[in-house]
Amino acid sequence: MSQFNVSSCCLQGCVRSNNEDMILAHHKFLRSESNCQTVIYNSLSRSIFAVADGMGGHESGEVASSETLHNLEFFYYDMPQGLSISEFNDAMVSWLESVNRKISHRETLHPGLNEMGTTLVAMAYYEGHFFRMHCGDSRLYLFSEGQLRQLTIDHSLNTFMGEEKHSNIITNCIGGGCTTSYMDIFDIQGEVKRGDMLLLCSDGLNDMLPDSRIAEILSQGGDAETLAEAAVKAGGYDNVSACLITIE
């Protein structure tokens, strides 16, 4: 399975004065309004799709999300071939440590970027394997046979406290003064099949739309733009990013 139908959409929302989210869809970066595309990738040994939700105030959050995704794209497509699952995991952990140092160092050099940081959620396809990776509270969902299931577990205070309702107090991120950043990495090859959809999103989507509404939209054939626009119509209190990957 190496063909993906991908739609991505990244919207500013109704309240924020700028957009600190960013999407990486293979080699394409998306941030601006109406930035929605559908692409098909054939016969590739690797592809990566990611959403980064920046934080830290005006400009600094968007710098952190952009730096992280551009660094990830360069690193991922430069990785050697033939890595085992454990070697792949080790490589991504090393990348996280490196980019976290880079973001933190940039904060030191530029006081205006103080405490900038970002969350990250990604789906990586590498030589026949699907990997989910995340740091923070941006999410990855699996939509299969009409059922929506959250694959990631939010790195947030409410999750730590055992509460179901999502809060924006996160316990893990890249940069943002977090010196002990970590990333959950799992091989999900056995969990996805042809016809399934994988949805990457920032909390600007799932805070506005309950899982039941997301599932309803996907069941009706909606794409990333449909989801993002529904979140904006529901209030759009935050930036909204959605990247929807259909396995073909």
Side-chain angles (χ1 to χ4, degrees), residues 79-94 126:
M79 287 199 324
Q81 296 178 337
L83 295 179
S84 66
I85 293 175
S86 62
E87 289 171 334
F88 179 92
N89 288 355
D90 290 344
M92 295 312 305
V93 169
S94 295
Y126 178 83

Side-chain angles (χ1 to χ4, degrees), residues 13 15 22 53 63 67 72-74 97 101 105 124 155 164 171 174 184 194-196 219 226 230 233-234 236:
V15 176
M22 181 172 272
D53 181 353
V63 171
E67 288 251 352
L72 175 62
E73 186 231 12
F74 178 82
E97 294 172 351
R101 286 195 300 269
H105 182 61
H155 299 156
E164 291 187 7
T171 56
I174 298 172
D184 291 343
R194 191 180 303 275
D196 286 352
S219 296
T226 311
K233 289 179 182 177

Side-chain angles (χ1 to χ4, degrees), residues 96-158:
L96 177 66
E97 294 172 351
S98 174
V99 75
N100 197 42
R101 286 195 300 269
K102 182 175 181 179
I103 295 294
S104 299
H105 182 61
R106 183 155 184 179
E107 292 178 62
T108 303
L109 293 178
H110 302 279
L113 303 179
N114 186 40
E115 293 189 359
M116 73 172 183
T118 184
T119 67
L120 175 72
V121 63
M123 193 286 286
Y125 176 76
Y126 178 83
E127 298 183 357
H129 287 267
F130 292 90
F131 293 89
R132 66 171 172 87
M133 306 179 288
H134 87 288
C135 174
D137 64 349
S138 293
R139 293 180 176 180
L140 173 62
Y141 288 94
L142 172 66
F143 186 68
S144 179
E145 299 179 347
Q147 301 297 314
L148 185 72
R149 179 163 61 97
Q150 183 181 340
L151 297 183
T152 53
I153 298 174
D154 297 344
H155 299 156
S156 59
L157 182 60
N158 64 296

Side-chain angles (χ1 to χ4, degrees), residues 1-3 144-145 192-197 246-248:
M1 294 186 292
S2 59
Q3 180 173 315
S144 179
E145 299 179 347
V192 295
K193 61 183 183 299
R194 191 180 303 275
D196 286 352
M197 296 180 180
T246 303
I247 311 300
E248 298 291 353

